[in-house]
Amino acid sequence: MNFNPETLRITLADVDVEVSVLCVYTMYSRHFKTARTVQQNLKTNYVTKFWKHSSTERLEPKSTYDVVIIGGGHNGLVAAAYLQRSGIQTCVLERRHIVGGAAVTEEIVPGFKFSRASYLLSLLRPQIYSDLELKKHGLKVYGRNPYSYTPLRESNWKDGGPRSLILGLDEAKNMEQIARFSEKDAQALKLYEEQLQKIVVTLQPLLDLSASDMVAFFRADSVWGKISALFHSPQLRKAARSFSSIGGNLPALYEFLTSSANRILNHWFESEPLKATLATDAMIGSMVGPDTPGSGYVLLHHMTGQINDVDSAWGFPEGGMGAVTQAMASAATSFGTHIFTGREVSSICLNGDGHAVGVVTSEGREIKATLVLSNVTPYITFQKLLPPSSLPEKYRTAVADINYASPVTKINVAVNKLPNFLADPCERMNQPMPHHKATIHFNCESTEILTQAYNCAQDGNYSDRPMIEMVIPSSMDPTIAPPDCHVCHLFTQYTPYHLSNGATWDDKTKEDYAKKVFSNVEEYAPGFTESIIGMEVLSPPDLEEIFGLTGGNIFHGALSMDQLFLSRPVAADIGPAAPFTPVKNLLLCGSGAHPGGGVTGAPGYIAAHATLAQLLLLRRTIK
């Protein structure tokens, strides 16, 4: 497919808004500043380098489609691909200049391609990977081994003791690493992982199961009604078989769903660096601490990627995370989907009966559709795109109560040399070692450090020792940085959206926070700050403004037990279970619906199948 960059409809004023959150650190000036030269480079690069799958060959949408999808994030693209593959004429409308949502690759610093928000691929459902032939459409993933690296501060070293913890795919090596901290923990790890895997295998079918199918099963009045529900839903049958075999693991499942990460890990382990490292999976992206009840579920949620039978488990996509959504867009357009960028939807059209019949763009163009799918957050869908009168009052109140608290500030950094860790120095200068490929955990000497960081956020502040995860995808992927240079992504928390004493996330605040993060990294890898060429700081308000993530929450709403499955986005006794909504012919296909956030594609997959069934029902009714 041939694209002409000259015809792309992107609004450079929108780029100006995004550049306002960009800070560049130069080796020469030694201070943060907004760079007009980088702003101009951004404008140029957006037009000339990232136009692939920014739009289809068709310059304008048709007036009518079977389905219109609001938002070109990964779930919207998955839904579009499945629908168009089934012969449903589908249109995707994306607000930004590029599709992908939070899974995009952008050249923020000249010559450096950043996975600007999402930064690792793991949770993508395996059937999506194969059904859409993502490899055929260019997706290549670098698997990582080892996958976890926790260096210790020099002050925590003991004579002859361990200086770091490295975990990978080799069970024997893991036991050897952990035994340096605790022989007991080395023996316990295998049993812990075996139990965790059994629980995750039990939960896996739920990720592909529509919550509405489960509600239909429970609400069936008779045995025959329940049998009928099972007959019509293969995913429901699979989930029923899985849960019927859980047996003695039921108490452990209950504990993971209700207990805190600390309580669970304390049952198994005694080594603080090990517990803190494992606990990060329970807290990443969530405004919860190690002792928050229910945080154990987030640990399970992130573990699902480690047993997916595809070669994408916690890997680096070549070309960054944008390569994932570019492959999805390629698959969708190969089936005939129409994708348009720079097309913000301003409202959902309703007929006299209050049913969705299409959308209106910010340009005033009306596009009619039999069904509308929303890939944006529930807040935007129900409180921005629909009139209040379109929703029952109880449902509207429940939507307003959704928790979007975010702890995340993402810092994207370009460096002119590889970080060199005191705990495990490079054998050859600037040559990646195995631990450079892993997720690098800072401030994980103990869970108490993580707890203190969380407690600071509850008071509207950020800690002097934040929770920091660093990945260096250029240690494996040569396509995203110039020779001898590297891309570093720092995923940090806890940084509340609303700061204490009326402070805001202005340039000065982001500068102060970034310096604090870098000073922490310096304690493990001296010279890191000096190596920085350019950078971008994305606070919770930035994540909201740029990517449409309400509250800056990367999951489209907290992954707490009161906002999962039958209660995502709201409790099923208040309104229809997802992906359906109280507005007829409007469905949810984004992460605000079951099963939640992460680059899973599952909400889009579920919504596509529900849409196909709904269209079939409508056509039968018309006949």
Side-chain angles (χ1 to χ4, degrees):
M1 189 175 292
N2 297 316
F3 294 87
N4 181 1
E6 299 296 326
T7 64
L8 286 189
R9 300 176 59 86
I10 79 170
T11 305
L12 294 184
D14 293 339
V15 178
D16 286 334
V17 171
E18 296 193 12
V19 173
S20 70
V21 305
L22 177 66
C23 292
V24 174
Y25 182 99
T26 66
M27 294 184 295
Y28 308 104
S29 62
R30 291 287 189 266
H31 66 275
F32 291 80
K33 62 183 179 181
T34 301
R36 296 300 302 179
T37 55
V38 174
Q39 181 182 25
Q40 185 60 45
N41 190 276
L42 269 171
K43 290 182 178 182
T44 302
N45 286 340
Y46 280 166
V47 177
T48 62
K49 292 188 178 183
F50 293 102
W51 47 266
K52 183 182 179 184
H53 294 305
S54 288
S55 189
T56 56
E57 286 180 318
R58 186 183 183 91
L59 296 181
E60 299 293 339
K62 297 193 304 182
S63 59
T64 304
Y65 288 89
D66 295 325
V67 174
V68 167
I69 297 176
I70 305 169
H74 80 278
N75 280 307
L77 296 173
V78 167
Y82 275 99
L83 290 170
Q84 192 70 51
R85 190 179 73 158
S86 299
I88 306 303
Q89 187 59 58
T90 305
C91 170
V92 177
L93 302 173
E94 167 56 38
R95 173 180 60 91
R96 295 190 70 217
H97 61 280
I98 187 172
V99 296
V104 289
T105 300
E106 298 185 66
E107 190 170 322
I108 301 303
V109 177
F112 294 81
K113 298 177 182 178
F114 294 96
S115 294
R116 201 173 179 196
S118 174
Y119 57 98
L120 279 173
L121 181 64
S122 166
L123 304 175
L124 184 63
R125 303 302 297 142
Q127 70 273 21
I128 295 171
Y129 200 81
S130 56
D131 289 350
L132 302 187
E133 299 182 290
L134 297 183
K135 284 186 179 180
K136 171 185 170 183
H137 289 281
L139 180 59
K140 175 183 177 181
V141 181
Y142 295 96
R144 304 184 306 156
N145 185 32
Y147 54 77
S148 175
Y149 174 56
T150 304
L152 303 185
R153 271 186 171 82
E154 196 170 5
S155 59
N156 289 78
W157 296 356
K158 298 177 182 178
D159 290 340
R163 297 184 176 187
S164 65
L165 173 64
I166 302 176
L167 300 176
L169 303 178
D170 189 310
E171 182 181 303
K173 288 184 179 179
N174 287 346
M175 292 182 66
E176 181 181 331
Q177 282 279 316
I178 296 169
R180 299 182 304 156
F181 293 90
S182 166
E183 288 283 355
K184 174 188 171 185
D185 288 358
Q187 298 301 317
L189 180 67
K190 181 179 179 180
L191 297 174
Y192 168 78
E193 290 186 335
E194 286 177 351
Q195 184 177 83
L196 199 59
Q197 182 166 1
K198 289 176 183 177
I199 294 171
V200 171
V201 167
T202 299
L203 291 178
Q204 281 271 12
L206 290 181
L207 301 181
D208 303 319
L209 173 62
S210 169
S212 62
D213 286 352
M214 180 64 83
V215 169
F217 175 78
F218 283 125
R219 288 180 176 170
D221 293 330
S222 66
V223 172
W224 290 113
K226 294 186 184 300
I227 292 174
S228 176
L230 286 168
F231 178 78
H232 285 96
S233 174
Q235 289 80 16
L236 185 58
R237 294 197 300 274
K238 188 175 180 180
R241 285 195 300 268
S242 181
F243 271 84
S244 66
S245 62
I246 190 171
N249 290 306
L250 182 59
L253 170 60
Y254 185 80
E255 182 182 32
F256 271 96
L257 295 180
T258 59
S259 292
S260 69
N262 247 358
R263 185 172 183 179
I264 293 168
L265 294 172
N266 284 340
H267 288 174
W268 288 92
F269 308 111
E270 60 186 11
S271 166
E272 280 297 319
L274 175 61
K275 287 192 293 183
T277 299
L278 296 176
T280 59
D281 273 341
M283 297 176 292
I284 195 75
S286 299
M287 187 59 89
V288 298
D291 294 305
T292 304
S295 55
Y297 170 75
V298 186
L299 180 62
L300 291 178
H301 185 84
H302 284 98
M303 286 295 293
T304 58
Q306 296 194 17
I307 65 170
N308 283 347
D309 188 24
V310 296
D311 58 4
S312 62
W314 293 123
F316 294 130
E318 184 173 82
M321 285 298 290
V324 181
T325 46
Q326 287 295 311
M328 291 173 175
S330 176
T333 54
S334 74
F335 298 132
T337 302
H338 291 175
I339 299 175
F340 298 93
T341 58
R343 304 301 176 94
E344 182 175 7
V345 172
S346 59
S347 64
I348 296 171
C349 299
L350 305 178
N351 64 13
D353 295 322
H355 302 169
V357 292
V359 300
V360 175
T361 69
S362 57
E363 302 168 326
R365 176 187 294 271
E366 182 176 348
I367 303 172
K368 297 180 181 179
T370 305
L371 294 179
V372 176
L373 271 60
S374 178
N375 188 36
V376 297
T377 69
Y379 169 79
I380 296 174
T381 302
F382 297 116
Q383 295 183 259
K384 294 293 185 181
L385 301 183
L386 288 169
S389 59
S390 64
L391 298 171
E393 182 178 353
K394 194 173 182 181
Y395 193 93
R396 190 168 64 248
T397 300
V399 167
D401 287 340
I402 294 173
N403 177 12
Y404 291 102
S406 169
V408 173
T409 290
K410 175 84 182 300
I411 305 178
N412 298 313
V413 182
V415 296
N416 60 16
K417 63 180 179 181
L418 196 66
N420 194 8
F421 297 96
L422 290 173
D424 297 277
C426 291
E427 294 176 357
R428 288 192 298 165
M429 189 58 63
N430 213 32
Q431 292 297 308
M433 294 178 64
H435 58 269
H436 286 104
K437 305 172 184 178
T439 297
I440 302 160
H441 303 274
F442 300 112
N443 291 328
C444 280
E445 285 83 2
S446 73
T447 56
E448 180 59 29
I449 298 173
L450 306 179
T451 299
Q452 289 173 356
Y454 170 72
N455 290 339
C456 282
Q458 301 312 293
D459 295 328
N461 303 307
Y462 46 78
S463 171
D464 289 335
R465 295 179 69 180
M467 176 176 142
I468 304 170
E469 285 196 358
M470 174 193 283
V471 295
I472 313 172
S474 52
S475 64
M476 301 186 75
D477 180 1
T479 70
I480 59 175
D484 298 323
C485 294
H486 287 278
V487 164
C488 296
H489 299 298
L490 293 102
F491 198 82
T492 75
Q493 53 190 84
Y494 298 84
T495 54
Y497 188 107
H498 298 287
L499 298 169
S500 64
N501 300 319
T504 61
W505 283 101
D506 57 16
D507 288 345
K508 177 65 166 58
T509 301
K510 288 189 284 189
E511 173 186 337
D512 289 343
Y513 179 70
K515 286 181 177 178
K516 193 178 294 289
V517 170
F518 298 154
S519 70
N520 276 261
V521 177
E522 281 284 332
E523 294 187 48
Y524 300 91
F528 177 75
T529 304
E530 187 181 45
S531 72
I532 296 174
I533 299 170
M535 55 165 287
E536 174 190 45
V537 180
L538 296 174
S539 67
D542 297 325
L543 293 170
E544 179 177 66
E545 181 179 19
I546 296 170
F547 301 107
L549 298 170
T550 300
N553 189 285
I554 64 172
F555 300 129
H556 285 207
L559 295 180
S560 53
M561 288 309 298
D562 61 334
Q563 291 187 184
L564 289 171
F565 199 31
L566 301 183
S567 293
R568 193 169 188 90
V570 302
D573 63 338
I574 293 176
F580 299 101
T581 75
V583 177
K584 191 171 181 180
N585 300 336
L586 171 64
L587 285 75
L588 300 177
C589 68
S591 294
H594 171 73
V599 185
T600 70
Y605 174 85
I606 291 171
H609 286 77
T611 298
L612 290 171
Q614 188 80 351
L615 287 171
L616 182 60
L617 181 63
L618 287 172
R619 288 171 182 175
R620 285 176 177 172
T621 302
I622 292 173
K623 289 181 180 179

